[in-house]
Structure formats: structure tokens, C-alpha cells
Amino acid sequence: MPNVVQYSVPRTGSTVIRRVLYSLFPESEAPSQHPPLKYDSRDSLIVSSCRYPLDVLVSYARVHHCEQGYELGGIDEDLLAHHAKRIKTLYQWYFEDLDHHRSHILQLKYEKFWNNYDYIFDNLETFFSIEIDNNKRHDITQKCGIENSRKIQARLKDFSCVDEKTSLHGNHIATPEPFGYKKVLTRTQIVSMEIFLKDAIAQWEKI
């Protein structure tokens, strides 16, 4: 079997995709990769997750500066601008890399697999030409789902601490619902960030 690489922008559901993927292919397990892609084999099969950029921005700011409030207007302008530059660069690398490897990629949209693991399993079945029976689906969902993930992260002090078996961080999951940025960013911030990240948003819309 070719190498299987999990490659995504951080904070896009990449950890859950990695856990599901290597529950199915434990012999292929490898660390997740984030932009820029460091693995250049054209024979690799790349499984990737993508999430709405403003949600990624808010999540990224939260895990790096958790002392700032996770409520409406809780992220100050300077911090938002600082992380927005990083997110813009990550998405640029990400889509360039996917274009380079386009014939060997399965791209999964966060907003579609949120609370819908069958979307993940169905796409993996098609991509790898395999069958994942209902018992296997149930077992993996229980193991990799949010409820069990929250139990694991509760044992870890903060985001700098990582569970070796699952690659989950402390404080990894907070508000994973799609489009949660609307509860955190002010209207002015949303408009500003939609303009600044317009290229990444346009690419996300195509998935």
C-alpha cells in the first residue's frame, strides 16, 4: 500500500481525521503534517481536512493565547491581525501543496464531517476502495468522538501537553461547532477578516 499522509492546516479537525485514518491503517501511522508539506513523494495518498478560515483563526488564537476571552469581542485587534497573517500564509502553502499533489488527494470539509462520521467513512471507502462495516464504524466513532476526546484532554494541563497515543493536546477542544467565530468576533472584525482572508475563503467554498 502507498504511504498515507494526513496533511492539513492546524485547527481544521486534522487530529480526528488522523485518528480515524490510522485506526483503519495502523501500519501506515505517521505524524500529522501541517503546511508547508515536507513529504514530496508523488506515490503518497494524502487525506486532508479543511475548515472555514475564520473558525481556524479564532481557534488558533484561542490555543495560543487562552488568557484572552472566548466571548464576543474577546480577542483584541492586534492579536487578531497577528494570527491572521499566519493563517493566510498557511492557507497559501496548503492550497499550493494540494495543487501540486492533486491526483492523490482526499479532501474532507470540516463542516460536513462535524458530528457526521459516516461522511468520513464513506469518503475513505471510495478513496481507498475498501469497505468499513458498521461495527468498525461504531468502534472508531466511540474512540475518536468528541466525548472521549474531552476525557483525554481533561487529563492534560494545557495545550503544550500532548497525549502520545492520540496526539490530542490539553485544551484541544473548546467550541468545535462550525461557524463559531460569529460568537467571538465583532461584526467589524468579521468584515475585516473576510476581506483579508478572501482567497482562502474562496478556495474553501470550492470543496
Side-chain angles (χ1 to χ4, degrees):
M1 182 176 179
N3 290 314
V4 180
V5 179
Q6 195 289 312
Y7 173 63
S8 307
V9 172
R11 315 307 301 163
T12 60
S14 57
T15 301
V16 69
I17 296 301
R18 178 186 183 279
R19 294 178 69 198
V20 171
L21 183 64
Y22 296 131
S23 291
L24 294 168
F25 305 110
E27 72 283 358
S28 299
E29 185 163 5
S32 292
Q33 293 201 31
H34 299 305
L37 184 62
K38 301 175 182 65
Y39 198 85
D40 198 40
S41 172
R42 288 304 186 98
D43 296 325
S44 295
L45 298 175
I46 298 174
V47 179
S48 180
S49 55
C50 192
R51 186 181 185 186
Y52 190 68
L54 268 64
D55 274 339
V56 175
L57 171 60
V58 168
S59 182
Y60 201 84
R62 178 185 66 81
V63 298
H64 290 284
H65 295 274
C66 59
E67 71 278 2
Q68 293 218 9
Y70 202 63
E71 64 276 334
L72 186 63
I75 303 176
D76 69 45
E77 302 295 335
D78 290 342
L79 182 63
L80 195 64
H82 169 75
H83 286 300
K85 292 177 183 177
R86 178 62 176 167
I87 295 301
K88 184 175 184 177
T89 299
L90 288 172
Y91 271 103
Q92 286 174 339
W93 287 337
Y94 172 73
F95 287 115
E96 287 172 2
D97 287 336
L98 291 193
D99 185 62
H100 183 66
H101 290 269
R102 71 181 124 201
S103 62
H104 303 281
I105 294 165
L106 171 61
Q107 200 169 15
L108 300 169
K109 200 166 190 174
Y110 181 94
E111 293 73 20
K112 293 182 178 179
F113 68 73
W114 157 249
N115 272 352
N116 182 12
Y117 280 66
D118 281 331
Y119 166 81
I120 301 174
F121 295 131
D122 291 347
N123 277 276
L124 291 175
E125 282 187 331
T126 301
F127 188 64
F128 289 105
S129 299
I130 60 173
E131 183 176 345
I132 308 168
D133 64 41
N134 288 335
N135 288 336
K136 188 73 169 176
R137 289 179 180 225
H138 174 78
D139 291 345
I140 293 175
T141 300
Q142 291 299 305
K143 182 175 72 172
C144 302
I146 286 181
E147 184 176 344
N148 191 47
S149 297
R150 287 190 189 277
K151 292 178 181 177
I152 295 170
Q153 77 172 21
R155 301 196 295 263
L156 303 169
K157 181 180 178 181
D158 54 36
F159 194 75
S160 65
C161 301
V162 183
D163 179 70
E164 290 186 7
K165 185 175 181 180
T166 63
S167 295
L168 283 165
H169 297 254
N171 198 32
H172 198 118
I173 303 168
T175 54
E177 297 83 359
F179 308 112
Y181 72 90
K182 295 177 182 179
K183 298 178 181 179
V184 181
L185 302 181
T186 66
R187 183 59 193 160
T188 300
Q189 289 175 326
I190 290 172
V191 172
S192 174
M193 290 299 104
E194 284 178 339
I195 294 171
F196 187 73
L197 296 172
K198 66 181 187 304
D199 292 340
I201 292 171
Q203 291 286 352
W204 169 87
E205 288 174 342
K206 295 177 182 179
I207 302 171

